[in-house]
Amino acid sequence: MALKIGVDVGGTNTDAVIVDHKCRVLGAEKVPTTKNVGESIYRALDRVLSSSGVNPQEIKYLMMGTTQCRNAILESRHLAKIGILRLGAPAGLAVEPLYTWPEELKNAVGNNWAIVNGGVEYDGTLISPVNPEEISEVLYDFKRKGIEALAVSSIFSPVSYEQEIRVKQLAQKIFGPAFPITLSHEVGSIGLLERENSAALNAAISKVAAEAANGLEEALRLRGIEAKTFFSQNDGTLMSLEYAKKFPVLTICSGPSNSLRGAAFLSGLTNCIVVDVGGTSTDIGVMINGFPRESADPVELGEVKTNFRMPDLISLAIGGGSVVEEVDGVLKIGPRSLGYKLTTDGLAWGGATFTVTDAFLACRQDNVGYPGADLSNLRNVDTKFGEKVLHKILLDVEMAVEKIKIRPGPIPIVVVGGGSLLLPNKIGDVEVIRPRYYQYANALGAAIAQVSAEVDRIWALGDVKREEALEQTQKQALKKAVSAGADPGSVKVVDVEEVPLPYMPQRAVRIKVKAIGYLAEVE
C-alpha cells in the first residue's frame, strides 16, 4: 500500500503526518525546528515512523510546506546577492528596479540592476530589439560584483518571452548552465513592476530554497525513504521538488495554505473560517469550495508588491511563543517570539522570559500537552494578569474574524495549530470546531494536496480568434500542471477568467486559466 507523509517546517516546530491512500492518519509527530532544516526534517520523519511502526519502504510520496523562504524575506537574512536586468529601454526608464523596496531588503540583495533595450507592446510588437553586446556588458559587470542569482524582466513578456529567453542563453554562457536565473514571465502576470519584484524575490530566496530542498533530500536518504517529493505552494496545491527549486517564490505562503486545507479536511467543511495559531503568529483565512480564498489585491511581502497567487489572510503577530510585557501599564504581546527556544527560555521551562504560553499555563494550572513545563516555575505569576493576556488575544482574533468574513451572520470557525489551545471554545457568538489532529493540520494539508498551475496572458484579437485564444491558454495551463507533477489523466481546468481590455488600438482580451490534477502515480 502506497503511503504519504506530509511535513511542515515552521519557525517553531516541524510536523510530520503519515496518511494512507484514503487519507486516514496513521501517525503524527511534532519536534522543535532547529537552525539546521535537514536535521529538523530528519528528526520529525524518524519520530513519526517509529511511533507509527510504518515501514519506510511503504512511503511513496512526501509533501512539504515551509515558512523558511517567507521568513528570509521578512527578516532580510540568508538572501542571495542578485542582479536584475530589465529589457525596457527606452520606454521603461521612468521607475527603476527595486524602487519600492525597503532599504534593508534592497541592501540585503545587493541593489544591482540595469535597464537595457528591449520589450514588446501588449500585442507582441517590438518596442526595441535586444542588443547582445549591451546585455553581455551588464552581465559581466554583475559577475564582477559577485551576484549569486539573476532576475530578468521585460515589458509584456507574458505576451512574448523570446527576449527573456535570449538573455538567459547569454547569461548561461557567462555564469554557467547551473546558475540560478529567473525569467519574469514564468513567475508573474502582466504588470511589469510586480512581475519584476516577484522574479527578484524568487532569485533572492534561491539559496534558502536550495538548503531546504537539499535538507529534505538528505533526510530522506538517511532515513531510507525512496519517495516522490513535492512542495506545497501558495494556493494549497503541490508542485514537484524540481519545480519548487526553480520557483521557490511560489512556496512562500504554503504554511498558512496547508493549515487552511488541513483544517477543512479534518472538519469536513469546504466553506468556513480557519484560525491557525502557531508559535509566532496567528493566521485567519477563508475556505471556499475546499480551497483558500485568494487575495484580490496585490500582495505585499516584506513591503514589496508582488502579483502571484496568495491566499487572503489576516496575520496577527501572536502565537504561543510571543513575548509578553507590560510597560507603563500598557500590555504588549509580540511581535517578538521565542520560537523554537520556548522550551528552553520560557518561564515554565525554567527560563526568564514570560510568554503567552506561560500566561495560559498559569491560568489553566495544567501542563498536559506541554512536556517539560513545570507549573511551580509559574507560582509568582498573577493569574489575573494571565487572564488579561488571554482576553486581549481573544479580542484581536474576534476582530480579525469579523474583518475577513464574506457575509454577515454566523460562519463555521475551525481552530487549528499547536497554539490553538490558547483560544476558548467560543469566538464571538460561534462555537468553534477543534477537530482531532488539530495540531497537525498544516502537515496534513500538505499530505492531501493536489497539483495545480495557472496561465495569465493578454491576446490581441486580430490574427487569432477569441475561441482559439481560450483554447490555447487552457492547453498551456494543462501542460504546466503536468510539468508540475500532475497525472495527465486527471488534470482539468477549474477556473477561467476573461476580461476585455478597453482603450486599445485593436481588440484585446486578458485570459486567466487555472488547472488542477491529482498526483501522478509512482512507477
Side-chain angles (χ1 to χ4, degrees):
M1 181 172 58
L3 303 180
K4 297 187 281 189
I5 288 187
V7 176
D8 184 90
V9 184
T12 304
N13 291 305
T14 297
D15 303 342
V17 173
I18 299 177
V19 299
D20 65 11
H21 64 293
K22 292 186 177 179
C23 294
R24 290 176 297 207
V25 178
L26 304 181
E29 290 290 345
K30 186 185 291 285
V31 301
T33 300
T34 63
K35 287 183 180 179
N36 187 326
V37 173
E39 180 188 328
S40 303
I41 297 170
Y42 174 80
R43 287 191 295 108
L45 292 178
D46 189 57
R47 186 172 292 185
V48 75
L49 285 169
S50 300
S51 63
S52 64
V54 167
N55 183 345
Q57 301 305 316
E58 292 184 273
I59 306 297
K60 299 302 179 186
Y61 302 96
L62 187 144
M63 297 81 165
M64 188 172 101
T66 177
T67 59
Q68 297 292 309
C69 292
R70 185 187 188 197
N71 292 344
I73 294 170
L74 296 177
E75 298 173 23
S76 299
R77 62 182 177 85
H78 304 317
L79 297 172
K81 190 175 181 182
I82 66 171
I84 303 170
L85 194 153
R86 178 193 297 171
L87 300 165
L93 297 171
V95 180
E96 64 189 42
L98 304 178
Y99 179 74
T100 59
W101 288 38
E103 285 301 315
E104 185 181 3
L105 185 57
K106 196 184 294 186
N107 293 331
V109 299
N111 197 16
N112 301 302
W113 57 267
I115 304 176
V116 298
N117 288 307
V120 297
E121 299 284 2
Y122 74 94
D123 60 355
T125 306
L126 274 183
I127 294 175
S128 62
V130 295
N131 181 338
E133 291 182 2
E134 180 187 27
I135 292 169
S136 296
E137 187 178 334
V138 170
L139 294 175
Y140 277 116
D141 182 52
F142 283 166
K143 189 173 185 180
R144 282 191 292 274
K145 291 175 178 173
I147 68 165
E148 299 167 289
L150 176 68
V152 183
S153 64
S154 175
I155 297 175
F156 280 119
S157 63
V159 176
S160 176
Y161 47 77
E162 285 76 11
Q163 293 188 340
E164 290 190 355
I165 298 288
R166 179 63 179 137
V167 174
K168 182 178 181 179
Q169 292 168 343
L170 292 169
Q172 286 179 327
K173 289 181 181 177
I174 295 171
F175 292 99
F179 193 77
I181 300 171
T182 304
L183 305 182
S184 72
H185 75 272
E186 295 178 319
V187 295
S189 53
I190 302 300
L192 173 64
L193 296 181
E194 291 84 359
R195 175 162 41 84
E196 185 175 76
N197 286 338
S198 300
L201 288 175
N202 191 70
I205 58 177
S206 56
K207 277 199 313 185
V208 180
E211 287 176 12
N214 294 338
L216 172 61
E217 289 176 325
E218 179 65 6
L220 290 175
R221 188 187 65 78
L222 291 173
R223 200 57 187 78
I225 299 173
E226 296 179 2
K228 197 168 183 179
T229 50
F230 297 86
F231 266 59
S232 51
Q233 51 185 332
N234 301 329
D235 65 352
T237 59
L238 298 172
M239 57 183 171
S240 67
L241 181 63
E242 291 307 313
Y243 204 78
K245 285 180 180 176
K246 194 174 177 185
F247 305 117
V249 76
L250 301 178
T251 72
I252 54 178
C253 218
S254 60
S257 294
N258 286 340
S259 296
L260 292 172
R261 293 263 297 165
F265 175 79
L266 289 169
S267 64
L269 298 170
T270 53
N271 295 283
C272 58
I273 290 175
V274 177
V275 180
D276 175 24
V277 187
T280 302
S281 62
T282 296
D283 297 311
I284 298 102
V286 179
M287 290 295 292
I288 297 179
N289 298 326
F291 285 92
R293 184 176 74 192
E294 289 186 16
S295 174
D297 298 322
V299 173
E300 288 194 9
L301 186 66
E303 299 181 44
V304 177
K305 277 191 177 180
T306 65
N307 60 358
F308 41 72
R309 293 170 292 164
M310 296 278 275
D312 187 9
L313 293 173
I314 295 178
S315 296
L316 307 175
I318 299 172
S322 296
V323 176
V324 178
E325 298 170 291
E326 191 170 41
V327 181
D328 298 329
V330 178
L331 176 61
K332 184 181 176 187
I333 305 174
R336 189 164 72 89
S337 169
L338 290 184
Y340 65 88
K341 293 183 177 178
L342 173 65
T343 55
T344 55
D345 295 0
L347 208 59
W349 284 266
T353 307
F354 186 59
T355 68
V356 168
T357 296
D358 295 315
F360 173 70
L361 292 176
C363 294
R364 193 178 73 165
Q365 285 299 303
D366 185 350
N367 61 358
V368 174
Y370 294 86
D374 185 349
L375 296 179
S376 67
N377 292 327
L378 304 174
R379 55 185 173 277
N380 294 325
V381 174
D382 183 351
T383 54
K384 287 185 178 178
F385 180 69
E387 288 168 0
K388 183 179 175 183
V389 170
L390 298 177
H391 183 64
K392 182 178 187 322
I393 292 172
L394 177 60
L395 290 179
D396 288 349
V397 170
E398 286 178 341
M399 190 174 295
V401 167
E402 285 299 315
K403 280 183 181 176
I404 208 163
K405 270 184 177 178
I406 52 177
R407 63 177 187 270
I411 300 174
I413 299 175
V414 184
V415 296
V416 294
S420 63
L421 288 177
L422 301 172
L423 296 175
N425 293 328
K426 255 188 169 185
I427 294 179
D429 294 330
V430 179
E431 290 279 351
V432 303
I433 299 166
R434 206 183 310 266
R436 189 184 180 194
Y437 298 118
Y438 65 90
Q439 65 272 52
Y440 304 107
N442 42 16
L444 186 62
I448 64 173
Q450 292 174 290
V451 182
S452 79
E454 188 174 273
V455 172
D456 181 1
R457 63 172 298 184
I458 292 176
W459 292 87
L461 301 180
D463 299 330
V464 60
K465 293 182 179 178
R466 170 183 168 273
E467 291 75 15
E468 187 181 347
L470 277 167
E471 184 181 349
Q472 287 194 33
T473 311
Q474 293 185 32
K475 282 183 178 177
Q476 290 171 9
L478 293 169
K479 184 179 178 183
K480 204 170 175 181
V482 172
S483 298
D487 176 3
S490 70
V491 178
K492 61 182 179 181
V493 172
V494 295
D495 191 35
V496 178
E497 282 183 40
E498 181 183 1
V499 182
L501 301 180
Y503 312 116
M504 294 290 188
Q506 66 180 101
R507 286 201 306 138
V509 63
R510 179 179 180 180
I511 300 176
K512 191 175 175 182
V513 175
K514 184 174 184 177
I516 287 181
Y518 291 103
L519 276 172
E521 290 290 335
V522 175
E523 296 179 357

